[in-house]
Amino acid sequence: MSRIAAVAPVVPDHSYTQAEITAELAPLLSATPSHHRVIERMHGASGIQRRHTALPIECYRDLGSFRESNNEFIRVATDLLDRALTTALADAGLTPSDVDFVFFTSVTGVSAPSVDALLIPRLGLRPDVKRVPSFGLGCVAGAAGLARVHDYLVGHPDEVGVVLSVELCSLTLQRGDQTMANFVATGLFGDGAAAVVMVGENRSEPGPRIVDTRSTFIADSYDVIGWNVGGTGFEIVLTAGVADVIQNSFPLEVDDFLGRNELAIADVDTWLAHPGGPRVLEAFETSLGLERTDLQSSWDCLARVGNLSSAAVLHVLADAMNADPAPAPGSRALAFALGPGVSAEFVLLEWPT
């Protein structure tokens, strides 16, 4: 089994209230006053209090081509992951040269070499470090990264693996896109990153252990969430069908996953849900028979920073690991997220006794 030795969530320095962001973005999305009222209502219903942006908010007025925004993505993403991984390794009592395996993910920008490669000389990672850059998993990728690094460490129990997630959703802004999906998305997604340090079972670093993982791909849901890639970059695909997928699929998936570990929903002490938005969290609660308080950490994360796509569930995980009081020895947590496909990932954790 692998263990999670440290999690370091980070956000850009530029921070604004939800109202400030709405006031800045509404004129960029539409010149129609009635649209502004719709945008204000949608953004106000998100439950989000503040969000962080890769650039100062006024810079988005003149942000030009996809090339320009993607260049900013590479610059800011590299800086954020430098901070995150440096912090996580220090918290785990490790150095960059200790890292054997890197799983990097983002769905809001692209580069070749990928951002994780840019960090090798910058942080002093070993030149023989094994890397898996990932694009396209979207919001599910934080949980998927935990699962895939766990898979690697099961076969390499003396080694150290890291998950690196960075999402700069603000840089995908589509000015003039007057679709309801874009109105919702511009009020929901935030910018942030996270680094997770994981270790194989033969190592001495403490932390909650990963007991089991599950991947699920839900058929006939391709058009529910994702991107259309056009001449101006990434155009959001986001429908009300996300909540329907959760309602129809999650109860069976969770029951089956827990059942194969001889557990039931009542045996889960901590729920680490991807804070995808109010409708997503409400669908998690109703489909699984949970109370609002069961997902309080996810609601709090959503209010604090918004939906950070793949990094969001890792921020929720960090809150659990840093909780005071700490989770009780032997207590169990279920981390889960969903993304384009629609796909879902489940990670069962247990705190050490």
Side-chain angles (χ1 to χ4, degrees), residues 181-327:
N182 196 41
F183 290 173
V184 171
T186 53
L188 183 60
F189 290 96
D191 293 355
V196 184
V197 176
M198 300 172 60
V199 297
E201 65 178 343
N202 290 348
R203 297 188 60 92
S204 60
E205 291 83 6
R209 69 186 186 101
I210 293 183
V211 178
D212 196 7
T213 69
R214 180 186 180 96
S215 301
T216 298
F217 188 88
I218 300 167
D220 301 321
S221 59
Y222 298 107
D223 57 352
V224 171
I225 185 171
W227 292 126
N228 288 324
V229 182
T232 57
F234 302 121
E235 302 167 357
I236 190 70
V237 175
L238 184 63
T239 73
V242 175
D244 294 334
V245 169
I246 294 170
Q247 293 283 3
N248 294 333
S249 302
F250 264 60
L252 179 62
E253 295 290 344
V254 172
D255 284 344
D256 186 67
F257 178 53
L258 293 175
R260 79 184 192 192
N261 288 281
E262 300 182 346
L263 300 171
I265 284 178
D267 297 314
V268 176
D269 303 289
T270 304
W271 296 88
L272 308 176
H274 165 62
R279 291 195 65 184
V280 169
L281 290 175
E282 289 166 358
F284 286 149
E285 290 168 358
T286 57
S287 66
L288 299 176
L290 303 176
E291 301 294 332
R292 169 82 178 240
T293 53
D294 293 320
L295 300 188
Q296 192 61 53
S297 60
S298 298
W299 284 103
D300 291 345
C301 184
L302 180 68
R304 188 171 65 243
V305 294
N307 178 352
L308 303 180
S309 189
S310 68
V313 74
L314 303 181
H315 278 237
V316 177
L317 172 62
D319 289 344
M321 291 189 62
N322 296 323
D324 186 14

Side-chain angles (χ1 to χ4, degrees), residues 16-90:
Y16 304 94
T17 67
Q18 181 77 323
E20 289 172 325
I21 293 174
T22 302
E24 184 66 35
L25 293 188
L28 302 182
L29 301 179
S30 174
T32 305
S34 61
H35 284 170
H36 295 177
R37 291 190 290 272
V38 172
I39 293 167
E40 290 168 1
R41 185 171 66 253
M42 289 181 168
H43 288 197
S46 67
I48 296 169
Q49 297 172 4
R50 299 192 72 87
R51 284 185 285 162
H52 296 252
T53 57
L55 308 176
I57 191 67
E58 64 273 10
C59 292
Y60 292 87
R61 303 172 195 171
D62 302 315
L63 192 62
S65 65
F66 175 58
R67 177 192 291 264
E68 181 181 348
S69 61
N70 197 67
N71 284 342
E72 291 292 350
F73 168 84
I74 296 170
R75 178 183 67 83
V76 178
T78 307
D79 288 344
L80 286 177
L81 287 180
D82 181 328
R83 285 170 47 195
L85 185 54
T86 298
T87 300
L89 287 171

